[in-house]
Amino acid sequence: MVNALEVPADKLIERLAQYLKTRVPEVKPPPWAYMVKTGVHKERVPQNPDWWYYRAASMLRKLYKSSEPIGVETFRTIYGGRKNYGVAPEHFVRGSGSIVRKMLQQLEKANLVRKIPRKGRVLSPAGRALLDRLAFEILRDMVRENPELAKYLPPSHRGRRVRK
């Protein structure tokens, strides 16, 4: 079976963000999400109005990749960046903890993520199944565009005729 690491990350995150936006009512941006920066290192608010869903999708993929639980502080480090101090040297600063915490809480409520006390969060079996299913759909769409990729499909789907 195809897993989420075998398809391009940008396509998976985009498809997952659209899925979260349309089919998962628990995941939605709070009222303040359109007025905040994603960290102190940023100078402006995000340009994409759906940035909340894309960040949540990115966090799900990061949890899929990780074999160990990931906590809020680790996500803050992942989504941090270099802060411009003017003429002084730049330094790394962590991203917003509130955004990460709220997203993880929403993903927990949607049963896509499980919390392990004192360790962090891991992807739930339902979350893993969702990412694998979307990855399979992405690969199937890629095979429609380029039939040579059919060798990467599971054996049960190789012989089937791909509709256009």
Side-chain angles (χ1 to χ4, degrees):
M1 190 68 191
V2 179
N3 70 30
L5 302 178
E6 295 174 350
V7 296
D10 58 338
K11 291 184 181 185
L12 178 66
I13 290 172
E14 185 175 344
R15 176 101 34 120
L16 184 55
Q18 291 305 318
Y19 181 88
L20 292 173
K21 183 177 181 181
T22 57
R23 296 195 184 138
V24 183
E26 294 89 359
V27 178
K28 60 182 174 188
W32 49 261
Y34 301 105
M35 299 175 276
V36 297
K37 305 185 301 181
T38 57
V40 296
H41 62 287
K42 297 290 187 177
E43 294 185 5
R44 298 170 53 176
V45 298
Q47 297 294 313
N48 186 349
D50 292 335
W51 72 269
W52 188 268
Y53 303 104
Y54 280 86
R55 176 66 61 93
S58 171
M59 289 171 65
L60 283 172
R61 186 174 181 278
K62 295 263 185 212
L63 287 168
Y64 188 96
K65 284 176 59 173
S66 176
S67 60
E68 298 191 10
I70 300 179
V72 172
E73 292 300 313
T74 304
F75 274 120
R76 286 186 68 194
T77 303
I78 290 169
Y79 293 111
R82 296 178 67 77
K83 180 167 173 54
N84 183 0
Y85 288 103
V87 295
E90 294 182 350
H91 297 288
F92 179 83
V93 293
R94 293 179 296 186
S96 169
S98 178
I99 292 172
V100 169
R101 205 169 18 264
K102 299 283 189 282
M103 281 186 193
L104 287 172
Q105 289 168 354
Q106 289 180 357
L107 292 170
E108 272 183 64
K109 197 180 284 187
N111 294 326
L112 298 174
V113 172
R114 269 188 311 123
K115 186 175 186 177
I116 297 178
R118 298 183 178 260
K119 294 198 179 195
R121 267 69 169 206
V122 293
L123 205 58
S124 70
R128 187 167 294 278
L130 171 65
L131 265 68
D132 286 338
R133 189 178 79 239
L134 291 177
F136 176 74
E137 290 174 7
I138 290 169
L139 188 60
R140 190 181 61 208
D141 293 345
M142 290 171 59
V143 167
R144 286 182 182 146
E145 295 171 10
N146 186 0
E148 293 177 2
L149 295 175
K151 62 185 174 183
Y152 296 110
L153 286 173
S156 60
H157 288 79
R158 279 191 202 142
R160 294 185 184 176
R161 185 168 193 249
V162 179
R163 291 187 227 153
K164 290 188 177 182

